[in-house]
Amino acid sequence: MPATFDRLALLSAAVGGIGGTERPGQIDMVRAVDTAVDTGRHLLVQAGTGTGKSLAYLVPALAHAVETGNPVIVATATLALQAQIIDRDLPRLADAVRDQIGRRPTYALVKGRRHYLCLHKTAGGFPVDDEDALFAMSKETSQLGEEILRLRDWADDTDSGDRDEIVPGVSERAWRQMSVSARECLGTACPMRQECFVERSRAAAQDVDIVVTNHSFMAIDAFENRSLLPEHDLLVIDEAHELVDRVTATITDELSPSTVATAAKKAARLADTAALAATGDHLEGALEGVPEGRLTELPEPVLLALRQILDAARTVQSALKPEPGRRPPANGDGDRAMARAAVDDVFIVAERLLEGRELDVVWLTREVRRGPVLRVAPMSVAMLMRDTLFTDRTVVLTSATLELGGDFTAVAGTMGLVGADAPDWDGLDVGSPFDYQSQAIAYVARHLPAPGRDGTATAVFDEMEALIRAAGGRTLGLFSSMRAARDATETLRTRLGEEYPILCQGDDQMPTLVREFARDARTSLFGTLSLWQGVDVPGPSCQLVIIDRIPFPRPDDPLSSARSEQISRRGGNGFMSVAATHAALRLAQGAGRLVRHADDRGVVAFLDPRMMTARYAGFLQRSLPPFWPTTDTELVRSALQRLDASAGPVFPVREPTSRPASPEAIRDATSDVADQGTNAALDESIEVTALSVGHDRLTQ
């Protein structure tokens, strides 16, 4: 009979092993996850920052995996959380419970093929995608060549081949030359299959207790029945507020004249592609004059061009099939694999666009480098998720923001968990150990003008400048668009000068910018809300979060407008179900960047008066952490000045660590990795000088 383990005893050992303390919310979550596994009812858990939720689901997940012999899958949205779990949380947990379990638990990280270097490609087994550009004489392409040479050198040193581990990083253009997609991969015919980083990582995942992956990879495995992940009966989805968007992005397709031309070029060595290349020109002509945005019906010239593309691609596909009895070259058939993958992609998307599926939304965008691009995505993924993710396994979904407007229903509905024949599920809010009322102020600048379409008003820049000066820098600025972020950066750099430096998204790689922001209290960091959900900078480096406006989706956003219209036609409130829900989720995530530690203090400043005046304001407010609210400008500036004057040193910043890929290397390395620093998500014992500003000093 297999051994069984007391989950709370394991939690106690884990928390004790890292020198932390158990929290009521953490204990409640462990019990709820265990109950979900026993009953088969899905579980939505809202766990605020500081709860220690990763430990709260890893402990029962690990116990279940060891007891049953079935691995548990943990899927996250961001690379940062993946790295935290695999590099810090799991090594320390495994060490802490080794004695109770009777062995050291095992774990592995699995990503999509494009995340890994292709050794066959670095050795010259595939043609270079961008050969003309690579050998052209220009500064840009010279840099491309240097990056490719660096990747080839790195291939001899890396144990994992994981793109996230090369520092400094390389451009997407360079990485594309040294990696392959799933369709391009030679599979069993690859002469370097035994050394392949992807195959080694997946082999490691077949015989471990916990497999960590991302939302997109997990979705592909479920939707396409690829069996890329091991069989499992428990799936944990962290950062679950991101799940619907990540799933939608995974099954969004695109087609452009440039992709048709690229496919024709890749196949030209092996087949006559003149007709296919010509259809790309036909599509470009058909799209000329078609307005950007959602296309409820494709114009007849576009339909004709798509039919021509479909026919031409089908002909090239036939020509690319290996001749009967022909043996592939000893070094593999990289040319043919890349050509077939490119032509197959064109064929599949053209066919989907011509099908005109009932729930598909089609729209046109125009890009500077690529020209016109047709995109197609499902209006809703709710039923797809219900029929795939939520069958034949128990699913635990967790995030700091799942209850919007005080209820789980809005988020659950987008995942297919509401309505007739929906699976059974439970919702639980385990709260947060933080005292939000005394740690933070929610300030609405009610005196400012409502946002308009003509850019940011001067009064808003004046407010930003005054707040940043009062805070002594220390500001994370979250903006509704990159244009707004850049405008604010340019204006405030001029006003604030070198005294308070401002970094802006796009200046460098995101991890580099975050580390620079965390190192210098006088520095501020500006960017878009959609990209700041994983930023975790506790301590005095971030004592002010500015949100420029309520982050509604753009009125012309094709998916949001289509969803809203459908709900309204059915008698629902499209605005509240789509736009307001989207805004509430983003606001909650943005505001959550402020309080990351028990000693954090600060202000979240909303520079949009609609947070107080609009009819939907109450719904948005109920979705935020329960900060102390005010519209008093002078009170807020005085509080920020006192925080600045009393702030201690910034928290230490950790550099990225390398990660092995093979099962043997993982076992050898995890003990060392476990000693590389304290994880704020697991305990609160970071070695810094804590702030000592109480609620009275914030508000008096």
Side-chain angles (χ1 to χ4, degrees), residues 336-417:
R336 192 174 299 274
M338 290 187 68
R340 290 185 64 178
V343 175
D344 286 350
D345 282 341
V346 166
F347 181 90
I348 290 168
V349 183
E351 186 176 46
R352 180 178 178 181
L353 286 164
L354 285 168
E355 282 179 7
R357 301 174 190 172
E358 182 181 358
L359 290 180
D360 268 354
V361 178
V362 180
W363 69 98
L364 175 68
T365 59
R366 298 186 186 277
E367 301 179 2
V368 175
R369 294 188 64 172
R370 301 176 62 197
V373 181
L374 281 170
R375 289 188 169 86
V376 55
M379 182 185 304
S380 170
V381 294
M383 296 308 297
L384 178 62
M385 291 174 64
R386 177 190 291 188
D387 295 339
T388 53
L389 291 183
F390 294 102
T391 57
D392 302 324
R393 77 195 90 191
T394 301
V395 183
V396 174
L397 303 109
T398 185
S399 167
T401 48
L402 288 179
E403 251 190 335
L404 301 181
D407 196 292
F408 286 100
T409 306
V411 171
T414 64
M415 300 175 182
L417 295 176

Side-chain angles (χ1 to χ4, degrees), residues 420-576:
D421 302 320
D424 294 330
W425 60 277
D426 297 301
L428 173 67
D429 182 357
V430 299
S432 170
F434 300 152
D435 184 358
Y436 286 119
Q437 282 275 323
S438 64
Q439 288 186 247
I441 292 173
Y443 163 58
V444 178
R446 189 168 183 167
H447 61 284
L448 291 177
R453 297 184 178 180
D454 300 326
T456 306
T458 301
V460 176
F461 288 135
D462 294 341
E463 184 78 16
M464 290 183 191
E465 179 185 359
L467 290 170
I468 292 172
R469 287 189 182 278
R474 311 178 190 276
T475 301
L476 180 63
L478 304 178
F479 293 83
S480 55
S481 69
M482 273 310 304
R483 176 187 172 188
R486 293 191 187 105
D487 287 348
T489 300
E490 182 179 341
T491 300
L492 292 171
R493 277 177 177 167
T494 300
R495 293 187 180 200
L496 298 171
E498 297 181 0
E499 183 180 7
Y500 299 113
I502 296 177
L503 305 173
C504 186
Q505 180 181 335
D507 290 347
D508 205 327
Q509 294 185 97
M510 191 63 63
T512 302
L513 291 174
V514 173
R515 287 195 294 272
E516 289 183 22
F517 170 53
R519 284 193 184 102
D520 181 14
R522 301 285 129 182
T523 296
S524 297
L525 179 57
F526 288 0
T528 56
L529 258 171
S530 61
L531 297 180
W532 292 107
Q533 297 181 66
V535 173
D536 185 12
V537 180
S541 290
C542 182
Q543 294 186 333
L544 171 63
V545 173
I546 290 176
I547 296 177
D548 71 329
R549 64 193 297 167
I550 298 172
F552 292 120
R554 288 174 44 143
D556 58 353
D557 178 81
L559 284 175
S560 295
S561 60
R563 291 165 180 163
S564 183
E565 289 172 12
Q566 184 188 52
I567 291 169
S568 297
R569 282 196 301 269
R570 294 177 176 177
N573 187 325
F575 172 81
M576 291 301 296

Side-chain angles (χ1 to χ4, degrees), residues 77-88:
T78 63
L79 297 173
L81 183 55
Q82 282 181 41
Q84 173 190 303
I85 292 172
I86 207 74
D87 291 336
R88 296 203 293 272

Side-chain angles (χ1 to χ4, degrees), residues 44 48 60 68-69 76 98 114 160 215 243 270 275 285 307 389 415 462 519 544:
L44 277 68
T68 64
T76 77
R98 184 202 300 255
R114 272 289 190 193
S160 70
H215 290 181
L243 181 62
L270 302 163
R307 294 187 192 105
L389 291 183
M415 300 175 182
D462 294 341
R519 284 193 184 102
L544 171 63

Side-chain angles (χ1 to χ4, degrees), residues 30-89:
V30 168
R31 287 173 170 154
V33 172
D34 200 36
T35 299
V37 174
D38 287 342
T39 62
R41 292 174 64 90
H42 305 301
L43 176 66
L44 277 68
V45 184
Q46 177 161 289
T49 306
T51 305
K53 66 180 170 66
S54 59
L55 196 60
Y57 63 69
L58 287 173
V59 164
L62 184 58
H64 175 73
V66 174
E67 288 171 353
T68 64
N70 297 326
V72 174
I73 308 299
V74 176
T76 77
T78 63
L79 297 173
L81 183 55
Q82 282 181 41
Q84 173 190 303
I85 292 172
I86 207 74
D87 291 336
R88 296 203 293 272
D89 296 5

